Every structure is written in structure tokens, then in C-alpha cells.
Amino acid sequence: MILFEFRLAYDRFLLDAGTKHMAFYESLREAILSGQLPYGTRLPSSRSLAAMYGVSRGVVTEAYDMLYSEGYVTARKGSGTFTAYRPPDSGPIRHAAAKSSPVKNVIAESSAASPNRDGFSFAGTAWARRLLATHETEGRTVGEERGQLFSAGLTDERLFPTAEWKSCMYAEVRQSGTAKLAKDNPTEGDFQLRSKIASELRRERGIVASPEHIVLTNGSMQAVGILCQLLVEPGISVVLENPCYRGFKRAVSAAGGAVVSASVDEQGIVPRHWDSSLLFVTPSRQFPTGAVLSHQRRTALLHWAAERGALIVEDDYDSEFRYGGRPVEPLKSLDRQERVVYIGTFSKTMFSGLRIGYAVLPPWLSEPFRRAKSLFEPSTAGLTEQGALSRFMGSGGYGRHLRRMRRHYGRRLAALQQGLRRLPGGMFSFVPANSGLHQYVAWKGEQDSYSAFLNACLSEGLGWSDGAGNWHDKPLESGGTFGFGHLTEDEISAGMQRIRAIAHKLGL
Amino acid sequence: MILFEFRLAYDRFLLDAGTKHMAFYESLREAILSGQLPYGTRLPSSRSLAAMYGVSRGVVTEAYDMLYSEGYVTARKGSGTFTAYRPPDSGPIRHAAAKSSPVKNVIAESSAASPNRDGFSFAGTAWARRLLATHETEGRTVGEERGQLFSAGLTDERLFPTAEWKSCMYAEVRQSGTAKLAKDNPTEGDFQLRSKIASELRRERGIVASPEHIVLTNGSMQAVGILCQLLVEPGISVVLENPCYRGFKRAVSAAGGAVVSASVDEQGIVPRHWDSSLLFVTPSRQFPTGAVLSHQRRTALLHWAAERGALIVEDDYDSEFRYGGRPVEPLKSLDRQERVVYIGTFSKTMFSGLRIGYAVLPPWLSEPFRRAKSLFEPSTAGLTEQGALSRFMGSGGYGRHLRRMRRHYGRRLAALQQGLRRLPGGMFSFVPANSGLHQYVAWKGEQDSYSAFLNACLSEGLGWSDGAGNWHDKPLESGGTFGFGHLTEDEISAGMQRIRAIAHKLGL
């Protein structure tokens, strides 16, 4: 029997595939594709193959059926099963020795396209080279790894009303009938959710925007990326706070924008007559310092934008959590001249894995933005979560959750501030935050002693998120942000006490 | 009492907000923000305000609590509730008359940045202008609107194992514990799903790729967009089939690529020594014609890529549905020199709203690709669907569904082809497809008579997807694609019979 001049790799595939019929299927398929069972070979009957391997006939039949349905074999009535696959001509490509990757990270390394036989002609675009030139770890900072107690940016999933959220998800899945599954959904995202966001913004932030000018994004960073791609040409000046959120830096740098560094004090960004047409700013709570922009400065920024014909991108990343003090109006609510894009996110108010952010756009920019998003995502992703969030907001669950978290986070922040106050006096200065999910601290001593202290804390898992990466060049001051949202008051107190012990040990 | 020198807009907000406490909250908040209740105004006691409006005291208390928690009012022990908000200085912005949008679609219209007082200095990037210059309706074609019987690109949601899928979704939601919610998930997507895709590709397509070189995307278009952004610099030549998928055209045009038009015959793309470093191709089933690329041509394309140092992007959009004939190997499975990116999608095998596609990348390109995606989506979106799909594949449900759909779609395609054969002989020519979800037809007569026929069919809801938009310039032939996946054999037969009647009426 010519068939078994070769070994069927049944045993190997059985280990890999787990089921007998898959092992038959895969070993036969490999034999067919490799040419070991040439076109027209008659396969043994399922009965005899089954007998040979000591399996039931049904196992072989199922494998033959799969091969048949995929065209690898044909069945001729009464005469059996024949292989039906002709391998391609054996050209040089096919038999070329597998090469190891000729150019690793070619895009980052080379700067001009230069075709040659062995390599690739791709230098990548200027955009790609700029993107990849940013440091490997850009986006991660010291202390941001999850192991550190005071890592910033975390929320407390223990307090999240998981059961209530899950029931929204269940309801959404239940009602996602077949008709909804098959539908292409709009680039800009679920209309109901956009409407709920519009209401929430009107009520909570004084922003009047219709849902049609709101575009949902996969987290707020997608909005930043798209805006840079639409608006930042290489060489264009873009004003960024210093320090600032590193996502801004990455997107602006990738686009080739020339960063104009705007200084920040305890009242937030200091307005200037920047020679620029684009500003990214965090007025409600400067990132990372937490400074709240005064109304005078808000007005000044809008003035500048009006005079320059500039656009202001206002990132309101966590100001839903305000524990006291005067509420501040977003720039967007004061914007009468369509000069402000407002960016928000549910990563902090809900949870990080949700990936729902949004941009509130001036009317003239909303269609360009929508079309830019549609190039990458013609139909919105994450529809289940969008629908569930809409339900959660509609039922009042979201509002209840927010109010509850405000109380919890407020107490936790107080605990953290108390702990910071008990550290040796010469170490940190800080303006007590009264909103958000982190407290910024500035180091009063030498850079060296800061590094020693931070490293000592990191090594015991008591680290915080160092702020060095938020500065454009050399940091003007050492410092960082303590996250507290994910910790109970007791955990915070205990952690700060241990940090105090470290400070004492280092003689600070 | 000074407070009620103004009218509280309670009634208006009651209509809008729906609940009494929200109406009090919003009307008071508006009054505070607008300056009608200046800083320090003492609000009436909750008891007296409740009495004034004939509501329970709890209603007013809840509104006061909300205002308090947001900092609009303060409570001084024993002396009542006071407004705590100072409006910003009334600068020119605040009181400027609302202007209508000064420049609609400024990005599309202007081509250079020219700041002026009234307008915006944004011309948008060259990318934005190119993107927006594509026709408004690009992405939609005649007959693609859902109303048309033979619209292409649809699948049959009635045959989708909805209950089985929902139980995967439920299981995923159930197990998405709070820990998972709070997690940042990797840009490249769920690891389990990427592993399952790797196995599936190895088994079904002969592609050997490890999960680390697979990146999940929000539909396959995100992969196309990212690749263009990484690799297509303005003026760079990019080879596209003619006709081709319009998503390629849009992404390449936005990047400023110079399209090199590659002709297509009944064996697919005709290989040439293109002076280019990038080719987008649909070898398994040329889009839209459905031609299957011969092995000789596959080898020739890889040869060309090897000689040129070029990259081939292979889009395998629906070849999972093969109803007979010889299985063909993807270019990626023949790629020994890391010159092929393979793009796949679950939009056809699952359903369109799922938004899960993927790219299998050469090792040297996978990290640049991942980082480019991460600029827009640091953490993956659509995690619930990814997890559920991984379960669906793991349980064997996906494979069963595919095999079942192959049988159904195969019969439906046969019914469609029978219907097409019964149309008057001089109308359409077509090479019978034996895979995929649409049948391409070419018009044998005059353009005018084609248009008349298509319009007559469209007006009766019997339209198909016209292919004109798939050509780079003027179409070389009239024709289009008939979708059949979403229709039963009876629906197909009845529809084709009605089309035949229209043909007769038009004297074709």
C-alpha cells in the first residue's frame, strides 16, 4: 500500500491537537500539503485506517469529512477517497533557506529608503521613525508598575458596583439580538451613550453640546492621537504644559510638532502669547501637579485662542472627583467661538479596562475627526461596553457610583495628606489637592537624596509614580504623584508609616 | 428674601430632568453659575423651599446635598446653606456674541495655515486634507445600503449560533472579576485569543506564526490604516489591484502614496516588476472579482518582493468560506523572508458588529506596529468580545459554526449562480466563484444599459453592490458584486426571478 511508505505524524499531532480526529486531520493535511501524499493518492478506507491505529471508525470519518469539506480530498463514489491537492511549483522562494530577520527595528534605525536585495527598502515614514525614537519605556514610569503601593492612576475595583455593572452587561448581551450583531455601527459610537454623556456634561460641567459633536474613542488617548494626526504638521508649534501628560508628548512628537513648553505654577499653566495654534491643557487639574487653573487664566487662554485663531484641547481626565472647594468651569463651557475640544474618559470613574473616552468637538472639527477615526475604525469597537455604560448611566447607577466614590476617595486623600504631613519636614512640599486620584509632591532637597529615597521605597514596594518623564527636558524639580484611590485609609496610613520609617532610616 | 428676586427655573428643568430633586439641583446650579445667586447668598432652608414648591423636604435636601458635594454651596453649622461659587471675570470671551461657525470644513478647503482674528489658523495636516478630499460617500457604494436585496458584505445572522455566542459572552462577563476590570490590557489584545488565532491559522491556512507576532485590531481596517501610517510617506509608490478594496485606496491616499495600478485578470493580479516597495493584494480571492491567484503568480509576487526588498500586505477577508476546489495557500505560509503581512478578520465568519480583525506581522515589523497602535489605543478595546471569541474558538463552537456556514453558503452561492445563468445571455459574464460571500459579475453591454438596469433593480430593492468605486480611475468594465450570504436559497431564487422580469421589461 503506497500510502504508508511515509509515517503519518499522528502521534505528534495527537499531543498537540488533543483529539484523535484532529490528529488524523492535521497529520494527513500536512502529508498532503508537503507533497508526501501526491495529488490523486488513494487514501485507505476509514475502516482500515481506524483498525491500523486502534481507533473507532467515526474518528477517521470525521477527519476525512473535514479534509473533504476543505478540498484536500475528493470522494469518488464507490472507489474511495483521493487526495486533491497539487502543491505549487517549487520556486526559489519555497526552497530558500529560512533567513533570520535581516533588519531588526529597521524602521527605527535607518532614515532613508534604500532598496537592496537582502534587506527591506522600508525606512518607515518620518512619523514612524519619530514614534519609535521615543524611549522604549515611554508610557511607563518609575513606580507605575503595579507592584508599587502608591502607583498613580489606579482606582479601587473593590468599591466598584460590579454586580450592578454586570447586570448592565448581561442586559446588553441579552438584547444584542442577531439583528444588532450583524449591524455596522457608526464610527462615532453608540448614540444613546453619546446622548447620556451630553446630558451629564450639561448637568455636571455646564457644557452644552449635542451628541452629534461627541465622538466616542477607545480611551482618551485615541482622541489625542487623532487630533495630532489631523492638526499637527511637522514643524508646527504645539504648546504643552511643563510638566505634562506623556501621552501628549508622544503624540505631538510622533507628528513632528515642535513643543513649546509652557510653565506651570500652583495656579496651573501660565498664559503667554505663544506663537502657536494649538494648546493641550489640563485646566481642571493640571497633570501631574493637580493645580487648578484660575478663572482669570481660563479667560486669558480663551483670549489668546481667539486672537491667534488657535485651538485648545482641554483634557479633563479625573475632575469628576472633587471633594470640596469651588467648582470650576471647563474651558469648553466658556467657549463661545468654537475653539475648544474637550476630552473626557471613563477610565477613572468606571474602570481602566473599559476603554471608553470621548471628545466634544467644535462643529467645524467634528466631521473631520469622525472621518479620521473612521479610517482606522469604520464601525465602532467595544459596542457591548458602550451599551452597558449607557444603561448604567440611564439607571442612575453611574451617578450613585460617582457620589459614593467621591466620599471614599475624599477620605482617602485626607488620609494620604495626613501621612505626607507626618513625613520629615524638609522632604516634600505639596499643595493639598482637593480633587482627583493622586497627590503631587515636590522634593525640597537634592536630586540625589530624592533618588535614594524613592529607590529605598520602591525596593520595599512602597513606591509612587515618579514625575521625571512628564517634563520636556530636565525636570525643574524632583517629585511625583502618590496614587491613593485604590487603597483603604488603613492601607494608606500603614504605607505612609512605613515610608516614614524609611525616611528615618535614611536620616532624612 | 433676596433669593427669590429671580425665578428659579424649576419648572423648565423638571420637564427636562424628570425628577424633582434634579430639577431643583439644576435650576439652583444654573442660577449660581450665571451669577443670579452671587457668592455668599444664603439659600432658604430646605423646609421652606420645599413648602414653597409643594414638595417633600427630602427632595430639596437631596438637591442641596448634590450642590454641596460639588462645592457650589457650603453649609455653615447652625446658620444655613450659602452659595460658594464666584463666576469668572466677565472678559470679552464670556460676553462675546455667539458666533456661527466661521469656517465650515476649513480643513478640507484651505491649504495653508493663515492665522487671522476671525478664523482658525488650521489648515489641517496634509494627511487630513487628503483624507477629507476623498469623496464624501467613499466607503459606501450604490447598492450597499441595507435596503437592497443583494447588497454585498452581509452574512446571515439568522444562522449564527446566537445562544452559544451569548453564553460565551455571559461567561466572559461573569468571570470579568473586579481585578480584570481594573487592569490595563495589552495593546496587542487578549493573549488567549491570539494563541487561538495562531493555532487556527496553522491548522487552516498553513501559516506558522507565534501569538507575539499577531496584533488584534478593531476590524481589519485598523491594520490597513496603521500600516499606511508606518510605511507610506507622501510620494511613495504603492501597488494596488485595479479594481480593489476601497479601504486600501482611502488609507493610501490619505498617506499621500502614489497608487500604482496593477491589472487583474481571471487569475487575479498580474505580477510585474513594479517600481515600488509595498503591495496590497487579495490573493485568496481577489476583491471584488473573486479571482484566485495561481501558485505561479504567488511565487512571482514573493520573488518580486525578495528582489525589491518590498513588503506585501495580504488581505484574506473571506476565504474561510470555500465550497470546493483546491485549497490555496496564503502568501504568508510561503513567506520565508519576512516579507508578508497577513490580515484577517472575524467580521464575515462571526458578525460585522464584533470588530475583531488581526495582523500577522513579520517579526521586524511587529513591535513598530504594536507601538503605532498603542499611540491610539494603549490598552486594547473590546476586551469582552475578545475573551468571548477565545472561549467560542476553544469550545469548538467557532469551527462547528464555520463548517455549518460553509454548507449553507455553498448552497446559496449555487442558487445565485443558477439565477444569474437564467438571466438573458448577453447581459453578464461571470466566472463562478467557489468561495466567499459574493459573486462578481461583469456587464457585457453598454455602460448606459447597465446603469438603466441597475437603477431599475435598485428602485425595486433588488440592487447589488456596484463596483465602480473599486476602480482607480474610470472603470474598465461595468459590473458589481452580488451578496448572497444573508439570503436563503428561496429568497435568492425569488429575487433573481424578479430581476429577470426587470431584464425582460427593459428588453435586455
Side-chain angles (χ1 to χ4, degrees), chain A residues 92 121 184 277 303 352 384-385, chain B residues 22 92 121 184 277 303 352 384-385:
Chain A
S121 65
D184 279 334
S277 299
H303 255 297
S352 178
T384 310
E385 281 84 357
Chain B
M22 283 305 297
S121 65
D184 278 334
S277 300
H303 256 297
S352 179
T384 310
E385 282 83 357

Side-chain angles (χ1 to χ4, degrees), chain A residues 306-307 335-339 363-364, chain B residues 92-93 95-103 116-120:
Chain A
E307 273 175 18
D335 176 31
R336 299 288 175 275
Q337 305 197 320
E338 305 181 350
R339 285 169 206 282
W364 62 274
Chain B
I93 297 291
H95 292 287
K99 285 188 185 180
S100 66
S101 171
V103 264
N116 67 66
R117 273 194 68 91
D118 297 318
F120 290 85

Side-chain angles (χ1 to χ4, degrees), chain A residues 280-433:
Chain A
F280 285 82
V281 68
T282 48
S284 297
R285 224 170 95 71
Q286 204 278 328
F287 189 90
T289 68
V292 179
L293 199 65
S294 67
H295 285 291
Q296 286 73 8
R297 291 194 181 180
R298 282 168 204 256
T299 308
L301 292 184
L302 290 168
H303 255 297
W304 165 78
E307 273 175 18
R308 292 278 318 174
L311 187 74
I312 298 176
V313 180
E314 169 177 39
D315 186 11
D316 199 5
Y317 61 96
D318 78 352
S319 67
E320 289 88 350
F321 299 116
R322 201 174 49 242
Y323 316 117
R326 199 175 66 171
V328 283
E329 286 181 295
L331 289 173
K332 184 71 187 167
S333 74
L334 306 170
D335 176 31
R336 299 288 175 275
Q337 305 197 320
E338 305 181 350
R339 285 169 206 282
V340 178
V341 177
Y342 178 92
I343 294 178
T345 178
F346 289 94
S347 294
K348 308 295 183 204
T349 55
M350 292 286 292
F351 51 89
S352 178
L354 184 67
R355 310 318 303 154
I356 299 182
Y358 57 89
V360 184
L361 297 146
W364 62 274
L365 191 56
S366 60
E367 178 61 13
F369 187 93
R370 202 194 63 77
R371 290 183 71 180
K373 185 183 176 213
S374 105
L375 188 67
F376 300 92
E377 201 179 314
S379 189
T380 191
L383 200 68
T384 310
E385 281 84 357
Q386 289 178 16
L389 180 56
S390 176
R391 286 171 194 272
F392 192 55
M393 293 176 87
S395 71
Y398 180 74
R400 275 192 301 277
H401 170 57
L402 265 191
R403 286 192 291 276
R404 193 164 149 260
M405 296 314 285
R406 272 186 204 121
R407 286 196 299 273
H408 281 288
Y409 289 150
R411 286 198 292 262
R412 290 169 179 201
L413 175 56
L416 176 71
Q417 290 170 345
Q418 191 175 41
L420 286 168
R421 283 196 195 93
R422 287 180 183 166
L423 290 176
M427 292 174 60
F428 285 124
S429 66
F430 68 96
V431 178

Side-chain angles (χ1 to χ4, degrees), chain B residues 481-495:
Chain B
T481 53
F482 280 74
F484 58 83
H486 56 300
L487 301 170
T488 66
E489 291 162 72
D490 284 349
E491 287 168 337
I492 292 168
S493 303

Side-chain angles (χ1 to χ4, degrees), chain A residues 16 22 25-26 29 70-72 85 88-89 92-94 99 101-103 106 115 117-122 124-128 131-132 134-136 146 157 162 166 169-170 173-174 176 178 181-184 202-206 218 221-222 225-226 229-233 250-251 277-278 295-296 302-303 306-309 311 322 325-327 329 334 336-339 351-353 355 364 368 371-372 374-381 384-385, chain B residues 16 22 25-26 29 33 69-72 84-85 88-89 92-94 99 101 103 106 115 117-122 124-128 131-132 134-136 146 157 162 166 169-170 173-174 176 178 181-184 202-206 218 221-222 225-226 229-233 250 277-278 295-296 302-303 306-307 309 311 322 325 327 329 334 336-339 351-353 355 364 368 371-372 374-381 384-385:
Chain A
D16 195 40
M22 283 306 295
Y25 163 78
E26 296 207 3
R29 181 181 176 280
E70 289 161 14
Y72 291 106
Y85 176 77
D89 291 349
I93 296 292
R94 176 128 192 129
K99 284 188 186 179
S101 172
V103 265
V106 61
R117 273 192 67 89
D118 298 316
F120 289 86
S121 65
F122 286 103
T125 59
W127 182 90
L131 175 74
L132 296 171
T134 60
H135 193 268
E136 282 274 318
R146 291 300 182 245
E157 71 272 12
T162 308
K166 282 187 178 179
M169 286 289 283
Y170 287 138
V173 172
R174 202 177 309 124
S176 64
T178 47
L181 298 179
K183 223 175 69 176
D184 279 334
R202 188 165 45 80
R203 196 167 52 236
E204 295 287 330
R205 310 293 282 138
N218 302 322
M221 194 57 209
Q222 191 182 35
I226 288 174
Q229 199 162 2
L230 280 175
L231 300 171
V232 182
E233 202 81 271
R250 285 185 70 210
S277 299
L278 183 61
H295 285 291
Q296 286 73 8
L302 290 168
H303 255 297
E307 273 175 18
R308 292 278 318 174
L311 187 74
R322 201 174 49 242
R326 199 175 66 171
E329 286 181 295
L334 306 170
R336 299 288 175 275
Q337 305 197 320
E338 305 181 350
R339 285 169 206 282
F351 51 89
S352 178
R355 310 318 303 154
W364 62 274
R371 290 183 71 180
S374 105
L375 188 67
F376 300 92
E377 201 179 314
S379 189
T380 191
T384 310
E385 281 84 357
Chain B
D16 195 39
M22 283 305 297
Y25 164 78
E26 296 208 3
R29 181 180 175 281
L33 280 173
S69 78
E70 289 160 13
Y72 291 106
Y85 175 78
D89 290 353
I93 297 291
R94 176 126 190 131
K99 285 188 185 180
S101 171
V103 264
V106 61
R117 273 194 68 91
D118 297 318
F120 290 85
S121 65
F122 286 103
T125 59
W127 182 90
L131 175 74
L132 296 171
T134 61
H135 192 267
E136 282 272 320
R146 291 300 182 242
E157 72 271 13
T162 308
K166 282 187 178 180
M169 286 289 283
Y170 287 139
V173 173
R174 201 177 311 122
S176 64
T178 46
L181 297 180
K183 225 177 70 178
D184 278 334
R202 188 166 45 81
R203 198 168 52 237
E204 296 286 331
R205 310 296 280 138
N218 302 323
M221 194 56 209
Q222 191 182 32
I226 288 174
Q229 198 162 2
L230 280 174
L231 300 170
V232 182
E233 201 80 272
R250 284 185 70 208
S277 300
L278 184 61
H295 285 291
Q296 287 73 10
L302 290 168
H303 256 297
E307 274 176 18
L311 187 75
R322 200 174 51 241
E329 288 180 293
L334 307 171
R336 299 287 175 276
Q337 306 197 318
E338 305 181 349
R339 286 170 204 284
F351 51 89
S352 179
R355 309 320 301 154
W364 61 274
R371 291 182 71 179
S374 104
L375 188 67
F376 299 92
E377 201 179 312
S379 188
T380 191
T384 310
E385 282 83 357

Side-chain angles (χ1 to χ4, degrees), chain A residues 22-250:
Chain A
M22 283 306 295
F24 275 111
Y25 163 78
E26 296 207 3
S27 54
L28 283 165
R29 181 181 176 280
E30 184 183 65
I32 293 169
L33 279 173
S34 67
Q36 294 175 285
L37 292 177
Y39 180 86
T41 306
R42 184 169 188 263
L43 296 181
S45 71
S46 54
R47 190 185 306 270
S48 60
L49 191 58
M52 243 177 271
Y53 281 83
V55 299
S56 77
R57 191 182 161 194
V59 165
V60 178
T61 311
E62 188 162 353
Y64 277 16
D65 281 354
M66 287 174 71
L67 291 167
Y68 175 76
S69 79
E70 289 161 14
Y72 291 106
V73 300
T74 53
R76 288 183 218 146
K77 205 146 193 175
S79 60
T81 303
F82 297 82
T83 61
Y85 176 77
R86 282 193 182 89
D89 291 349
S90 21
I93 296 292
R94 176 128 192 129
H95 290 288
K99 284 188 186 179
S100 66
S101 172
V103 265
K104 202 173 152 50
N105 237 338
V106 61
I107 286 184
E109 285 162 12
S110 90
S111 66
S114 56
N116 67 64
R117 273 192 67 89
D118 298 316
F120 289 86
S121 65
F122 286 103
T125 59
W127 182 90
R129 292 194 301 278
R130 289 184 300 250
L131 175 74
L132 296 171
T134 60
H135 193 268
E136 282 274 318
T137 57
E138 188 71 83
R140 284 257 157 241
T141 57
V142 180
E144 237 179 42
E145 297 304 329
R146 291 300 182 245
Q148 296 297 327
L149 191 68
F150 292 103
S151 293
L154 302 182
T155 53
D156 194 342
E157 71 272 12
R158 295 168 298 192
L159 291 174
F160 185 73
T162 308
E164 201 180 341
W165 169 250
K166 282 187 178 179
S167 76
C168 292
M169 286 289 283
Y170 287 138
E172 191 59 25
V173 172
R174 202 177 309 124
Q175 296 204 1
S176 64
T178 47
K180 189 166 180 185
L181 298 179
K183 223 175 69 176
D184 279 334
N185 298 286
T187 297
E188 59 271 28
D190 183 86
F191 180 77
Q192 292 299 331
L193 178 55
R194 289 184 289 123
S195 302
K196 298 251 165 42
I197 290 173
S199 305
E200 178 84 4
L201 286 174
R202 188 165 45 80
R203 196 167 52 236
E204 295 287 330
R205 310 293 282 138
I207 293 171
V208 181
S210 81
E212 80 209 70
H213 299 133
I214 297 177
V215 178
L216 301 181
T217 52
N218 302 322
S220 57
M221 194 57 209
Q222 191 182 35
V224 173
I226 288 174
L227 288 169
C228 285
Q229 199 162 2
L230 280 175
L231 300 171
V232 182
E233 202 81 271
I236 289 259
S237 296
V238 180
V239 184
L240 296 182
E241 297 163 307
N242 191 27
C244 78
Y245 168 52
R246 277 171 311 160
F248 297 160
K249 286 206 293 172
R250 285 185 70 210

